[in-house]
């Protein structure tokens, strides 16, 4: 683990006025003040107000889901303290969303969660886990479904046509092959040219500030050395929540990390929300979950959601952000007990992980 890397970017904490403009600021979701409980009450009200406003922005032209990789993840992280499953690990499937809309006669393309999972495996936590896992076992529990560039080729989208790359947060992400580097990379034996030469990475300024000097609680989940030679101009830092296009919004949802953000979409089936704040739709309505322990735990602890808690930086803020996501999402047309929350890494049943098969899973999100 490289503990000595300090990232250098050309923006500082006092340069908010100089941030590049993208989208339209959502004033309804302005930052709230007060105690965590008071903020929770205000956030609910904000969510209800924005849920009424958002459909008037329209809908994107299309939304397509692309499976990338299924991998193991500790049950105690993904289902926090609620699970009574015997399996120490569960499985999550990381998926990319491809969103297209028209802006002033020009088609825009946003890739949400375009993870380079080949390089993401070198994240300190997952790298350590891989080294402890026999190769035969790892081949059984890690399943690669496709690559970012392979999915785009299948969809007929050229890499140079991609306008935006976006992640809910930058845990595990190595972007060097996507946005290029300014110097030769010894570990890659290459000087990568940007696979997406015209794309900007939409990221909360708070996320970049936190990554500039990682706290020990954050270090297992980031790859700071991978950002040493990336071009700063490839990043499009934003402050808060914005509407990017018709039916496409970025909503700041701090807690899982300081600069966490969620994708919110208005589609033919209503409003969807996507992030990794929880790993299953039933984590938002655990009263309907058949996963061992979830319903009983949330009832006993008087909590209405189950966090994805591999980080505990600001747990109350994450809880409040999940309530915002829960307030925004419409009911699923497949099963109205659950919400149209699409986990960017979704709980996936596997015979190797007894007690972790989800009661309900979306698996795909399609519009247009």
């Amino acid at each position: 683990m490289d503990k000595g890397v300090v990232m250098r970017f050309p923006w500082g904490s006092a340069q908010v006025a100089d941030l590049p403009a993208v989208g339209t600021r959502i004033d309804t979701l302005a930052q709230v003040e007060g105690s965590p409980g008071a903020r929770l009450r205000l956030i609910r009200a904000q969510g209800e107000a924005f849920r009424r406003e958002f459909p008037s922005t329209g809908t994107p032209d299309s939304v397509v889901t692309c499976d990338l990789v299924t991998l193991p993840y500790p049950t105690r992280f993904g289902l926090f303290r609620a699970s009574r499953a015997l399996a120490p690990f569960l499985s999550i499937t990381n998926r990319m969303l491809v969103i297209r809309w028209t802006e002033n006669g020009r088609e825009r393309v946003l890739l949400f969660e375009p993870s380079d999972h080949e390089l993401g495996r070198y994240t300190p936590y997952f790298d350590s886990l891989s080294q402890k896992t026999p190769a035969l076992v790892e081949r059984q529990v890690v399943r690669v479904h496709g690559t970012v560039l392979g999915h785009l080729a299948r969809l007929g989208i050229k890499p140079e046509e991609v306008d935006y790359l976006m992640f809910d947060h930058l845990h595990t992400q190595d972007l060097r092959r996507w946005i290029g580097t300014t110097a030769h990379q010894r570990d890659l034996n290459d000087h990568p040219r940007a696979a997406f030469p015209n794309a900007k990475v939409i990221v909360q300024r708070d996320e970049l500030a936190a990554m500039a000097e990682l706290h020990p609680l954050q270090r297992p989940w980031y790859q700071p050395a991978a950002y040493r030679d990336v071009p700063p101009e490839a990043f499009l830092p934003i402050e808060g929540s914005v509407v990017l296009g018709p039916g496409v919004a970025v909503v700041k949802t701090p807690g899982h990390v300081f600069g966490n953000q969620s994708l919110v979409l208005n589609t033919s089936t209503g409003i969807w929300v996507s992030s990794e704040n929880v790993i299953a739709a039933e984590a938002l309505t655990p009263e309907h979950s058949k996963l061992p322990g979830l319903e009983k735990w949330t009832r006993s602890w008087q909590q209405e959601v189950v966090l994805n808690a591999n980080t505990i930086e600001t747990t109350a803020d994450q809880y409040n952000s999940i309530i915002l996501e829960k307030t925004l999402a419409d009911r699923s047309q497949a099963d109205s007990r659950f919400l149209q929350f699409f986990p960017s890494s979704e709980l996936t049943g596997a015979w190797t992980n007894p007690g972790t098969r989800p009661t309900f899973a979306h698996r795909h999100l399609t519009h247009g």
Side-chain angles (χ1 to χ4, degrees):
M1 185 188 313
D2 190 342
K3 299 181 180 180
V5 174
V6 177
M7 295 166 55
R8 301 295 182 190
F9 288 101
W11 46 79
S13 59
Q15 292 179 285
V16 176
D18 297 329
L19 294 179
V22 60
T24 304
R25 182 177 298 277
I26 303 172
D27 293 328
T28 308
L29 298 179
Q31 182 175 328
V32 296
E33 305 293 340
S35 68
R39 294 200 305 272
L40 177 58
R41 172 175 50 80
L42 294 170
I43 283 169
R44 286 187 197 273
Q46 286 184 330
E48 291 168 358
F50 183 61
R51 188 172 180 274
R52 292 191 296 268
E53 296 172 2
F54 186 47
S56 67
T57 67
T59 61
D61 297 331
S62 67
V63 181
V64 179
T65 310
C66 304
D67 291 7
L68 295 175
V69 62
T70 298
L71 70 164
Y73 189 64
T75 305
R76 69 182 186 276
F77 290 164
L79 297 173
F80 198 25
R81 301 165 178 161
S83 176
R84 298 295 299 273
L86 296 178
F89 288 89
L90 47 76
S91 290
I92 53 176
T93 298
N94 179 236
R95 298 185 173 102
M96 173 177 69
L97 293 179
V98 181
I99 302 100
R100 290 183 266 195
W101 69 91
T102 304
E103 181 180 294
N104 298 323
R106 183 187 184 285
E107 184 180 81
R108 296 290 186 182
V109 180
L110 164 69
L111 306 184
F112 182 62
E113 297 297 319
S115 300
D116 186 345
H117 54 77
E118 292 179 341
L119 298 184
R121 69 185 302 273
Y122 297 111
T123 300
Y125 175 82
F126 288 110
D127 189 34
S128 175
L129 182 63
S130 178
Q131 292 178 27
K132 298 173 185 175
T133 305
L136 179 63
V137 174
E138 187 168 1
R139 285 196 294 270
Q140 292 292 320
V141 298
V142 177
R143 302 192 302 279
V144 175
H145 306 290
T147 64
V148 171
L149 294 176
H151 283 303
L152 292 180
R154 176 177 57 83
L155 295 171
I157 298 175
K158 298 177 181 178
E160 58 267 25
E161 295 174 335
V162 174
D163 297 283
Y164 304 114
L165 309 177
M166 179 180 150
F167 303 86
D168 46 10
H169 59 290
L170 293 176
H171 276 179
T172 79
Q173 302 302 333
D174 183 335
L175 306 181
R176 289 177 292 172
R177 298 201 291 201
W178 292 171
I179 62 177
T181 65
T182 59
H184 184 273
Q185 303 300 291
R186 185 167 59 181
D187 64 318
L188 300 179
N189 194 28
D190 192 12
H191 186 161
R193 299 181 61 184
F196 300 106
N198 301 316
K200 298 291 186 182
V201 182
I202 297 175
V203 61
Q204 294 289 328
R205 186 176 59 84
D206 284 350
E207 173 79 329
L208 294 178
M211 289 176 65
E213 196 164 356
L214 291 173
H215 187 278
L217 288 173
Q218 302 168 318
R219 287 177 184 154
W221 304 103
Y222 287 99
Q223 298 195 63
Y227 292 83
R228 182 189 285 116
D229 298 315
V230 294
E233 62 271 15
F235 291 85
L236 188 57
I238 63 174
E239 182 84 6
S241 304
V242 300
V243 172
L244 284 178
V248 183
V250 182
V251 171
K252 188 173 183 181
T253 50
H256 186 70
V257 302
F258 295 113
N260 210 79
Q261 56 189 5
S262 302
L263 176 69
V264 183
L265 300 170
N266 184 41
T267 74
S268 54
T269 64
I271 296 175
W272 288 79
V273 182
S274 183
S275 80
E276 204 178 65
N277 273 321
V278 304
I279 64 165
E282 63 202 88
L284 297 181
T285 54
E287 65 272 18
H288 300 302
S289 176
K290 301 302 181 185
L291 286 166
L294 261 68
E295 186 277 332
K296 182 178 180 180
W297 184 86
T298 51
R299 179 162 40 83
S300 297
W301 285 87
Q302 301 181 59
Q303 297 184 22
E304 61 179 286
V305 295
V306 178
L307 284 66
N308 172 22
N310 66 310
T311 57
I312 49 175
E313 296 173 22
T314 49
T315 306
D317 284 337
Q318 184 178 354
Y319 186 101
N320 290 356
S321 290
I322 296 170
I323 297 302
L324 173 59
E325 294 173 318
K326 180 175 180 176
T327 304
L328 292 176
D330 279 320
R331 293 277 169 181
S332 169
Q333 293 190 355
D335 188 331
S336 61
R337 295 176 301 168
F338 303 102
L339 298 171
Q340 291 189 153
F341 180 90
F342 191 85
S344 54
S345 292
E346 186 175 37
L347 179 62
T348 303
W351 67 269
T352 52
N353 310 325
T356 66
R357 184 173 297 277
T359 311
F360 174 85
H362 290 295
R363 297 188 180 89
H364 302 287
L365 193 174
T366 303
H367 162 79

